[in-house]
PDB file of all heavy atoms in Angstrom:
ATOM      1  N   THR A  47      30.924  19.214  14.694  1.00  0.00           N
ATOM      2  CA  THR A  47      31.803  19.378  15.844  1.00  0.00           C
ATOM      3  C   THR A  47      32.799  18.221  15.996  1.00  0.00           C
ATOM      4  O   THR A  47      33.530  18.182  16.969  1.00  0.00           O
ATOM      5  CB  THR A  47      30.973  19.491  17.141  1.00  0.00           C
ATOM      6  OG1 THR A  47      30.214  18.290  17.306  1.00  0.00           O
ATOM      7  CG2 THR A  47      30.040  20.682  17.084  1.00  0.00           C
ATOM      8  N   ALA A  48      32.837  17.318  15.032  1.00  0.00           N
ATOM      9  CA  ALA A  48      33.699  16.138  15.129  1.00  0.00           C
ATOM     10  C   ALA A  48      35.103  16.446  14.609  1.00  0.00           C
ATOM     11  O   ALA A  48      35.339  17.481  13.970  1.00  0.00           O
ATOM     12  CB  ALA A  48      33.097  14.991  14.332  1.00  0.00           C
ATOM     13  N   GLN A  49      36.009  15.529  14.868  1.00  0.00           N
ATOM     14  CA  GLN A  49      37.365  15.618  14.327  1.00  0.00           C
ATOM     15  C   GLN A  49      37.288  15.553  12.799  1.00  0.00           C
ATOM     16  O   GLN A  49      36.412  14.878  12.246  1.00  0.00           O
ATOM     17  CB  GLN A  49      38.216  14.463  14.844  1.00  0.00           C
ATOM     18  CG  GLN A  49      38.413  14.453  16.337  1.00  0.00           C
ATOM     19  CD  GLN A  49      39.266  15.630  16.791  1.00  0.00           C
ATOM     20  OE1 GLN A  49      40.169  16.071  16.082  1.00  0.00           O
ATOM     21  NE2 GLN A  49      38.963  16.142  17.971  1.00  0.00           N
ATOM     22  N   PRO A  50      38.195  16.238  12.095  1.00  0.00           N
ATOM     23  CA  PRO A  50      38.111  16.283  10.623  1.00  0.00           C
ATOM     24  C   PRO A  50      38.069  14.915   9.940  1.00  0.00           C
ATOM     25  O   PRO A  50      37.291  14.713   9.005  1.00  0.00           O
ATOM     26  CB  PRO A  50      39.365  17.057  10.219  1.00  0.00           C
ATOM     27  CG  PRO A  50      39.672  17.902  11.405  1.00  0.00           C
ATOM     28  CD  PRO A  50      39.259  17.096  12.600  1.00  0.00           C
ATOM     29  N   SER A  51      38.883  13.961  10.392  1.00  0.00           N
ATOM     30  CA  SER A  51      38.879  12.643   9.733  1.00  0.00           C
ATOM     31  C   SER A  51      37.561  11.905   9.988  1.00  0.00           C
ATOM     32  O   SER A  51      36.996  11.293   9.072  1.00  0.00           O
ATOM     33  CB  SER A  51      40.062  11.795  10.203  1.00  0.00           C
ATOM     34  OG  SER A  51      39.959  11.562  11.597  1.00  0.00           O
ATOM     35  N   ASP A  52      37.069  11.962  11.220  1.00  0.00           N
ATOM     36  CA  ASP A  52      35.784  11.333  11.535  1.00  0.00           C
ATOM     37  C   ASP A  52      34.648  12.031  10.796  1.00  0.00           C
ATOM     38  O   ASP A  52      33.715  11.390  10.315  1.00  0.00           O
ATOM     39  CB  ASP A  52      35.516  11.366  13.037  1.00  0.00           C
ATOM     40  CG  ASP A  52      36.461  10.469  13.823  1.00  0.00           C
ATOM     41  OD1 ASP A  52      37.057   9.558  13.208  1.00  0.00           O
ATOM     42  OD2 ASP A  52      36.600  10.687  15.038  1.00  0.00           O
ATOM     43  N   GLN A  53      34.747  13.340  10.713  1.00  0.00           N
ATOM     44  CA  GLN A  53      33.716  14.121  10.030  1.00  0.00           C
ATOM     45  C   GLN A  53      33.630  13.713   8.560  1.00  0.00           C
ATOM     46  O   GLN A  53      32.546  13.495   8.027  1.00  0.00           O
ATOM     47  CB  GLN A  53      34.048  15.607  10.150  1.00  0.00           C
ATOM     48  CG  GLN A  53      33.025  16.523   9.513  1.00  0.00           C
ATOM     49  CD  GLN A  53      33.435  17.976   9.607  1.00  0.00           C
ATOM     50  OE1 GLN A  53      34.623  18.296   9.643  1.00  0.00           O
ATOM     51  NE2 GLN A  53      32.474  18.859   9.664  1.00  0.00           N
ATOM     52  N   ARG A  54      34.771  13.588   7.914  1.00  0.00           N
ATOM     53  CA  ARG A  54      34.807  13.224   6.496  1.00  0.00           C
ATOM     54  C   ARG A  54      34.188  11.850   6.265  1.00  0.00           C
ATOM     55  O   ARG A  54      33.371  11.666   5.363  1.00  0.00           O
ATOM     56  CB  ARG A  54      36.258  13.252   6.009  1.00  0.00           C
ATOM     57  CG  ARG A  54      36.426  13.192   4.527  1.00  0.00           C
ATOM     58  CD  ARG A  54      37.885  13.387   4.079  1.00  0.00           C
ATOM     59  NE  ARG A  54      38.663  14.254   4.955  1.00  0.00           N
ATOM     60  CZ  ARG A  54      39.678  13.840   5.725  1.00  0.00           C
ATOM     61  NH1 ARG A  54      40.052  12.594   5.728  1.00  0.00           N
ATOM     62  NH2 ARG A  54      40.343  14.679   6.489  1.00  0.00           N
ATOM     63  N   GLN A  55      34.575  10.881   7.096  1.00  0.00           N
ATOM     64  CA  GLN A  55      34.045   9.523   6.946  1.00  0.00           C
ATOM     65  C   GLN A  55      32.546   9.475   7.239  1.00  0.00           C
ATOM     66  O   GLN A  55      31.786   8.816   6.519  1.00  0.00           O
ATOM     67  CB  GLN A  55      34.778   8.567   7.876  1.00  0.00           C
ATOM     68  CG  GLN A  55      36.200   8.286   7.461  1.00  0.00           C
ATOM     69  CD  GLN A  55      36.926   7.402   8.458  1.00  0.00           C
ATOM     70  OE1 GLN A  55      36.469   7.212   9.583  1.00  0.00           O
ATOM     71  NE2 GLN A  55      38.064   6.855   8.055  1.00  0.00           N
ATOM     72  N   ALA A  56      32.119  10.174   8.277  1.00  0.00           N
ATOM     73  CA  ALA A  56      30.703  10.166   8.639  1.00  0.00           C
ATOM     74  C   ALA A  56      29.855  10.808   7.552  1.00  0.00           C
ATOM     75  O   ALA A  56      28.792  10.293   7.193  1.00  0.00           O
ATOM     76  CB  ALA A  56      30.493  10.885   9.969  1.00  0.00           C
ATOM     77  N   LEU A  57      30.327  11.938   7.022  1.00  0.00           N
ATOM     78  CA  LEU A  57      29.559  12.611   5.968  1.00  0.00           C
ATOM     79  C   LEU A  57      29.500  11.775   4.697  1.00  0.00           C
ATOM     80  O   LEU A  57      28.500  11.800   3.970  1.00  0.00           O
ATOM     81  CB  LEU A  57      30.135  13.993   5.689  1.00  0.00           C
ATOM     82  CG  LEU A  57      29.939  15.002   6.820  1.00  0.00           C
ATOM     83  CD1 LEU A  57      30.634  16.318   6.491  1.00  0.00           C
ATOM     84  CD2 LEU A  57      28.468  15.224   7.116  1.00  0.00           C
ATOM     85  N   SER A  58      30.552  11.003   4.446  1.00  0.00           N
ATOM     86  CA  SER A  58      30.534  10.092   3.306  1.00  0.00           C
ATOM     87  C   SER A  58      29.459   9.023   3.498  1.00  0.00           C
ATOM     88  O   SER A  58      28.699   8.706   2.565  1.00  0.00           O
ATOM     89  CB  SER A  58      31.902   9.454   3.139  1.00  0.00           C
ATOM     90  OG  SER A  58      31.878   8.496   2.105  1.00  0.00           O
ATOM     91  N   LEU A  59      29.372   8.472   4.710  1.00  0.00           N
ATOM     92  CA  LEU A  59      28.338   7.466   5.009  1.00  0.00           C
ATOM     93  C   LEU A  59      26.939   8.066   4.914  1.00  0.00           C
ATOM     94  O   LEU A  59      26.002   7.428   4.426  1.00  0.00           O
ATOM     95  CB  LEU A  59      28.566   6.871   6.396  1.00  0.00           C
ATOM     96  CG  LEU A  59      29.762   5.941   6.537  1.00  0.00           C
ATOM     97  CD1 LEU A  59      30.044   5.639   8.004  1.00  0.00           C
ATOM     98  CD2 LEU A  59      29.522   4.656   5.761  1.00  0.00           C
ATOM     99  N   VAL A  60      26.789   9.313   5.355  1.00  0.00           N
ATOM    100  CA  VAL A  60      25.490   9.980   5.268  1.00  0.00           C
ATOM    101  C   VAL A  60      25.093  10.179   3.806  1.00  0.00           C
ATOM    102  O   VAL A  60      23.943   9.946   3.424  1.00  0.00           O
ATOM    103  CB  VAL A  60      25.504  11.327   6.029  1.00  0.00           C
ATOM    104  CG1 VAL A  60      24.245  12.136   5.745  1.00  0.00           C
ATOM    105  CG2 VAL A  60      25.652  11.086   7.522  1.00  0.00           C
TER     106      VAL A  60
END
Side-chain angles (χ1 to χ4, degrees):
T47 61
Q49 297 292 327
S51 62
D52 292 340
Q53 182 183 29
R54 193 173 329 112
Q55 289 176 345
L57 291 176
S58 176
L59 289 169
V60 170

